[in-house]
Each structure stands twice: as C-alpha cells, then as structure tokens.
Amino acid sequence: HVQLVESGGDSVQAGGSLTLSCEISSISVMRYCLAWFRQAPGKSRELVASINRVDRVEYSDSVKGRFTISRDSAKRTLYLKMDNINPEDTGTYTCAAEGDCLWTYARWGQGTQVTVS
C-alpha cells in the first residue's frame, strides 16, 4: 500500500524560504515520477514541479527559479525547497507519484498548508 505523507507546511512572510517534505512508502522513489501540486483557495489544482526517473525536472513558470524539487532515495523522501516565497504561493501543497510523468497521477498525499503573508 503506497503512502505519501507531506510535512513542512507553515505560515511564512513574503521573501522567506520553506522546505516541504513528502515521505513515500512501499515504492522506490527512483522508479517513479514524483511531483508537487498546489491548490490555492478558489482555484484549481496546478502542477508546481516534477522529477522523473532520470532526474529530469520541470517547473511551472510561476515558480521557476525560486523552487527546487529533489529526492533522497535512502530516506524515501521528496522535497520542495521554496525560496523568495510570495503571497501567490499560498495554498495546499500535495505530493504525488506515478509511473510516468505523462500519466494521470493515481497516488496522492493528504497535503500540507503553506500560507504566505
């Protein structure tokens, strides 16, 4: 049974930094496409960043140059380092895993809240 558990969400001031973590059980983090999504109040969920099985990373235009996605296979953990955060980054951040980045994600965490003021 695959479980994804996020942590690290917090209330931060604009311009600050935050690192989110997603602990993943029961699958090899190196064999899956892993991604971070976020959903702001009143908006649809959007893909923020993804990393595929050969470490190719992609970012949404809104976070490119400010966010960094990475993973640690030994810790079975996916990370999202967020720098120069702004109020538009407020939302619920959720990690997801799937066999390929082009497929529909079927494995999701519960989410962690980030609030930027």
Side-chain angles (χ1 to χ4, degrees):
H1 177 64
V2 180
Q3 281 193 311
L4 296 86
V5 180
E6 303 92 340
S7 61
D10 204 350
S11 296
V12 296
Q13 291 191 337
S17 297
L18 196 63
T19 298
L20 306 181
S21 300
C22 173
E23 294 186 34
I24 304 172
S25 63
S26 302
I27 61 172
S28 168
V29 299
M30 300 305 294
R31 294 186 179 181
Y32 279 74
C33 173
L34 306 176
W36 286 98
F37 288 77
R38 72 182 177 192
Q39 186 165 19
K43 296 186 177 181
S44 57
R45 185 168 58 194
E46 65 168 333
L47 176 63
V48 173
S50 65
I51 180 168
N52 73 1
R53 289 176 289 183
V54 293
D55 285 340
R56 176 177 178 176
V57 299
E58 294 190 355
Y59 300 94
S60 67
D61 288 342
S62 62
V63 307
K64 198 171 295 182
R66 300 187 298 119
F67 290 11
T68 304
I69 188 172
S70 63
R71 60 187 166 193
D72 185 324
S73 59
K75 296 182 178 180
R76 306 172 73 93
T77 301
L78 175 71
Y79 301 99
L80 183 69
K81 187 174 187 302
M82 308 163 65
D83 294 316
N84 194 20
I85 302 175
N86 59 58
E88 289 70 39
D89 296 320
T90 293
T92 300
Y93 285 72
T94 306
C95 59
E98 192 45 71
D100 189 285
C101 292
L102 297 179
W103 299 350
T104 300
Y105 289 88
R107 301 167 178 85
W108 296 88
Q110 293 300 308
T112 187
Q113 179 66 33
V114 174
T115 303
V116 185
S117 58

